[in-house]
mmCIF file of all heavy atoms in Angstrom:
data_model
loop_
_atom_site.group_PDB
_atom_site.id
_atom_site.type_symbol
_atom_site.label_atom_id
_atom_site.label_comp_id
_atom_site.label_asym_id
_atom_site.label_seq_id
_atom_site.Cartn_x
_atom_site.Cartn_y
_atom_site.Cartn_z
ATOM 1 N N SER A 260 4.337 7.741 -10.838
ATOM 2 C CA SER A 260 5.381 7.591 -11.848
ATOM 3 C C SER A 260 4.791 7.341 -13.226
ATOM 4 O O SER A 260 5.204 7.913 -14.230
ATOM 5 C CB SER A 260 6.295 6.433 -11.451
ATOM 6 O OG SER A 260 7.311 6.232 -12.412
ATOM 7 N N ILE A 261 3.803 6.468 -13.272
ATOM 8 C CA ILE A 261 3.160 6.150 -14.557
ATOM 9 C C ILE A 261 2.350 7.327 -15.055
ATOM 10 O O ILE A 261 2.520 7.785 -16.195
ATOM 11 C CB ILE A 261 2.255 4.907 -14.390
ATOM 12 C CG1 ILE A 261 3.116 3.661 -14.116
ATOM 13 C CG2 ILE A 261 1.403 4.692 -15.646
ATOM 14 C CD1 ILE A 261 2.319 2.444 -13.677
ATOM 15 N N SER A 279 15.467 -3.724 -0.987
ATOM 16 C CA SER A 279 16.621 -4.370 -0.375
ATOM 17 C C SER A 279 16.543 -4.190 1.146
ATOM 18 O O SER A 279 16.046 -3.169 1.635
ATOM 19 C CB SER A 279 17.929 -3.789 -0.907
ATOM 20 O OG SER A 279 18.016 -2.415 -0.643
ATOM 21 N N GLN A 281 17.724 -3.288 4.680
ATOM 22 C CA GLN A 281 18.662 -2.366 5.320
ATOM 23 C C GLN A 281 18.390 -2.390 6.827
ATOM 24 O O GLN A 281 17.501 -1.706 7.293
ATOM 25 C CB GLN A 281 18.446 -0.933 4.784
ATOM 26 C CG GLN A 281 18.545 -0.796 3.305
ATOM 27 C CD GLN A 281 19.942 -0.939 2.779
ATOM 28 O OE1 GLN A 281 20.901 -0.566 3.446
ATOM 29 N NE2 GLN A 281 20.067 -1.505 1.607
ATOM 30 N N GLY A 293 10.936 8.634 -17.248
ATOM 31 C CA GLY A 293 9.902 9.506 -17.810
ATOM 32 C C GLY A 293 10.304 10.945 -17.941
ATOM 33 O O GLY A 293 11.465 11.273 -18.128
ATOM 34 N N ILE A 296 10.589 15.645 -12.997
ATOM 35 C CA ILE A 296 9.752 16.580 -12.237
ATOM 36 C C ILE A 296 10.467 17.914 -12.161
ATOM 37 O O ILE A 296 11.688 17.991 -12.113
ATOM 38 C CB ILE A 296 9.459 16.032 -10.818
ATOM 39 C CG1 ILE A 296 10.714 15.480 -10.180
ATOM 40 C CG2 ILE A 296 8.384 15.012 -10.841
ATOM 41 C CD1 ILE A 296 10.518 14.892 -8.815
ATOM 42 N N HIS A 303 5.378 16.294 -3.004
ATOM 43 C CA HIS A 303 4.833 16.229 -1.634
ATOM 44 C C HIS A 303 3.592 17.122 -1.526
ATOM 45 O O HIS A 303 2.647 16.781 -0.864
ATOM 46 C CB HIS A 303 5.861 16.676 -0.617
ATOM 47 C CG HIS A 303 7.045 15.782 -0.552
ATOM 48 N ND1 HIS A 303 7.008 14.473 -0.151
ATOM 49 C CD2 HIS A 303 8.343 16.018 -0.854
ATOM 50 C CE1 HIS A 303 8.207 13.946 -0.202
ATOM 51 N NE2 HIS A 303 9.048 14.857 -0.611
ATOM 52 N N ALA A 307 -2.092 13.979 -2.083
ATOM 53 C CA ALA A 307 -2.521 13.671 -0.728
ATOM 54 C C ALA A 307 -1.999 12.339 -0.251
ATOM 55 O O ALA A 307 -1.581 12.197 0.906
ATOM 56 C CB ALA A 307 -4.049 13.694 -0.655
ATOM 57 N N ASP A 314 4.040 11.171 6.070
ATOM 58 C CA ASP A 314 3.726 11.281 7.510
ATOM 59 C C ASP A 314 3.919 9.947 8.194
ATOM 60 O O ASP A 314 4.496 9.887 9.313
ATOM 61 C CB ASP A 314 2.294 11.781 7.715
ATOM 62 C CG ASP A 314 2.098 13.224 7.294
ATOM 63 O OD1 ASP A 314 3.105 13.945 7.085
ATOM 64 O OD2 ASP A 314 0.936 13.637 7.156
ATOM 65 N N LEU A 344 12.196 4.190 3.173
ATOM 66 C CA LEU A 344 12.351 3.016 4.015
ATOM 67 C C LEU A 344 10.983 2.535 4.451
ATOM 68 O O LEU A 344 10.125 3.329 4.795
ATOM 69 C CB LEU A 344 13.201 3.317 5.234
ATOM 70 C CG LEU A 344 14.641 3.729 4.991
ATOM 71 C CD1 LEU A 344 15.317 4.128 6.308
ATOM 72 C CD2 LEU A 344 15.425 2.637 4.292
#
Side-chain angles (χ1 to χ4, degrees):
S260 179
I261 293 168
S279 60
Q281 305 288 327
I296 45 182
H303 296 295
D314 291 346
L344 298 175

